[in-house]
Each structure stands twice: as structure tokens, then as C-alpha cells.
Amino acid sequence: MTPQILLDHFDNGRFWPESTRFPAKVDVPGAYQQALAVRELRVHRGEVPRGFKIGFTNRQIWARYNVFAPIWGTVWNTTVAFCEGQGTVSLDGTCEPRLEPETVFGMKATPAAPATLDDLFDALDWVAPGFEVVQSHRRGWKGTAAEAVADGGLHARLLVGPRIPVPDIARNAAALDRCLAEARVTLLKDGEVVDRGTGAHVLDSPLRALHHFVQEIRSCPGAPDLQPHDVVTTGTWTDAWPIQAGDLWRADFTPPLSSLSLTVR
């Protein structure tokens, strides 16, 4: 599929035809080039990149989705929203949406290269709880890793909760790494517990997921680097759960993060 066809399916909320398969020659590096071409089309029509999503950082769900390494995609001004603890997300135009509770970072600077955990800590502005809505234009979530990358990293929406300045959480990278790894989340739908997770599920900690991402994006030809004010959502602490309009979801994070509630429409 061409970048324009990929974008058309995203815009119109249509599944890819079952008869359409990516050629074997389109591997994950090739899929990133397609995704970057779609990014250029979106920028050309006026959308503004606001950062990135990292997907498949939770090793516990790799076998379920047949993807065995993290991927990344772009977050847009048209797909991200901010709230102070309770927000609303529309599923209009999404395909088989699922919900993921995550940690979101806000950048105040571009990290030094090559970046250490200490460099990342120095470049961070804030940390927040988040809900990412992911989607698949391959019906039944049966796509390959390359197809997931070309499909915008499966990103559909991002709700960012209360933002906490990094210095209010930790004095250095080691402390931030440890406290986010040890934090836990309980995910509830309509008041009923559906899943539990921990920050350690995310490549051992969200900060380490960010470190992996920075290395990956800097090795991808033509990819942009992190910029000040970018947001980066670092992957789900639980499984990804199907959602539909009318749902009420809540993620009860332990400190240093706060709870986040979501109404789906």
C-alpha cells in the first residue's frame, strides 16, 4: 500500500482489505520509511507532530500479538489531549480500538547523544499518567510487526493526565527509574477491576523504555529527533483492552503517579 492509501484508511476508519498484504520485502525498517512518508503527508496538510508513542514495550503481551520488539509512531496535535484527572475520548474513525494505561513523559530539551539514563533525566520536564487508545487497520489485530509500524505504530488517541514536574518525583535518574518501575496500576471498567500491572512490565521501567526508543529513532534513517515540548507515551502496563462508546475507565496508579479517569464516547 502507498502512503496515501495508508492515510486514507486512517482518515476514514476503514480496515485494510483482507486481500491486501505487505510484500515480504517490506520489513520493519522499510515500514518505518512508509510511516515517515505518511507523517510527511500529515504535516503537509497542516497537522503538527506533538511527540511519539512507544508500543509493545510490555513483554508479557508479545506472544499474544505476535510482535516481539518495541515499535514507535508519531503523536499528533489532532490525537492528543490533556486533562487534570478526568477526560473524554472519542472513538470516531477508529478500528477495533483498545485502551492502555501508560506513563507519559514531557521533554524540556533534546537529550544528549548518545543518551544515557542521566542524559534523559536532565532532558525531562514532567511525568504523567496516560491512556492511549490504540487501533489496528488489520481486522482482528492479526498484522505483522511491519504492518503495525506502517499503521502509525497503532496510535489512535492519547489522553495525558496530571503532569508532575520531574524534580518533584526524583533527584536523579536512578531514583526516577526505581520509583516508576516499582509503581503499580489497577485498571477498572465501570467500577470493576479488569487488570493490574506495574511499571516494571515496560522494558523494566518507563525510563528504560524511553532510553530504548531514543536509541531506535536515532538509528532510523530520516526520523526526527526528540524536541523540547514533545510528549512520549511509553507503553502499556497491562494488556490492551477493547473499548467502546459509553465505557467509564479508571487507572488507579500508585505514587508518584495519580489516578486517571476516562469517559469514552
Side-chain angles (χ1 to χ4, degrees):
M1 285 185 286
T2 68
Q4 186 60 60
I5 291 175
L6 289 169
L7 183 55
D8 289 344
H9 279 275
F10 182 91
D11 286 343
N12 295 302
R14 297 198 315 266
F15 289 107
W16 297 343
E18 290 298 318
S19 59
T20 301
R21 293 288 167 182
F22 275 43
K25 64 181 180 181
V26 180
D27 55 7
V28 169
Y32 276 118
Q33 295 309 304
Q34 286 192 305
L36 289 171
V38 173
R39 176 185 167 108
E40 287 302 311
L41 291 174
R42 296 182 74 161
V43 169
H44 182 73
R45 72 184 187 183
E47 289 184 85
V48 180
R50 290 296 309 273
F52 301 91
K53 65 80 50 82
I54 319 171
F56 294 112
T57 53
N58 189 334
R59 300 184 185 98
Q60 312 234 343
I61 63 174
W62 281 0
R64 187 168 302 130
Y65 296 97
N66 198 36
V67 175
F68 297 94
I71 65 172
W72 57 268
T74 301
V75 170
W76 299 91
N77 66 315
T78 52
T79 63
V80 65
F82 296 84
C83 72
E84 293 304 318
Q86 186 167 1
T88 301
V89 166
S90 170
L91 300 182
D92 289 350
T94 61
C95 290
E96 293 188 352
R98 295 178 177 237
L99 189 67
E100 301 180 339
E102 309 196 0
T103 305
V104 186
F105 289 118
M107 308 304 300
K108 67 180 180 183
T110 299
T116 64
L117 291 183
D118 290 326
D119 292 327
L120 293 181
F121 180 84
D122 291 340
L124 289 174
D125 186 9
W126 49 261
V127 183
F131 274 129
E132 186 183 16
V133 176
V134 290
Q135 64 176 338
S136 174
H137 290 90
R138 176 69 72 204
R139 194 181 297 274
W141 285 78
K142 299 299 183 183
T144 65
E147 289 175 334
V149 167
D151 197 8
L154 307 178
H155 173 70
R157 307 281 190 273
L158 176 62
L159 179 68
V160 182
R163 288 162 280 178
I164 310 161
V166 167
D168 291 354
I169 298 175
R171 298 180 60 183
N172 53 47
L176 181 65
D177 181 44
R178 182 174 59 254
C179 74
L180 290 178
E182 293 174 351
R184 307 189 73 84
V185 68
T186 300
L187 182 65
L188 303 96
K189 175 186 175 183
D190 298 328
E192 299 292 329
V193 174
V194 297
D195 209 345
R196 291 184 171 88
T198 176
H201 286 165
V202 181
L203 292 186
D204 301 322
S205 87
L207 187 62
R208 293 178 186 271
L210 180 65
H211 185 246
H212 173 87
F213 163 70
V214 170
Q215 293 174 310
E216 289 296 305
I217 198 169
R218 287 176 171 172
S219 68
C220 178
D225 205 349
L226 276 174
Q227 299 298 318
H229 310 299
D230 276 352
V231 301
V232 183
T233 188
T234 52
T236 186
W237 292 26
T238 67
D239 200 352
W241 287 84
I243 58 171
Q244 61 184 1
D247 286 352
L248 300 175
W249 290 85
R250 189 173 82 247
D252 286 339
F253 289 92
T254 60
L257 302 175
S258 57
S259 294
L260 180 62
S261 296
L262 171 66
T263 301
V264 184
R265 59 178 177 83

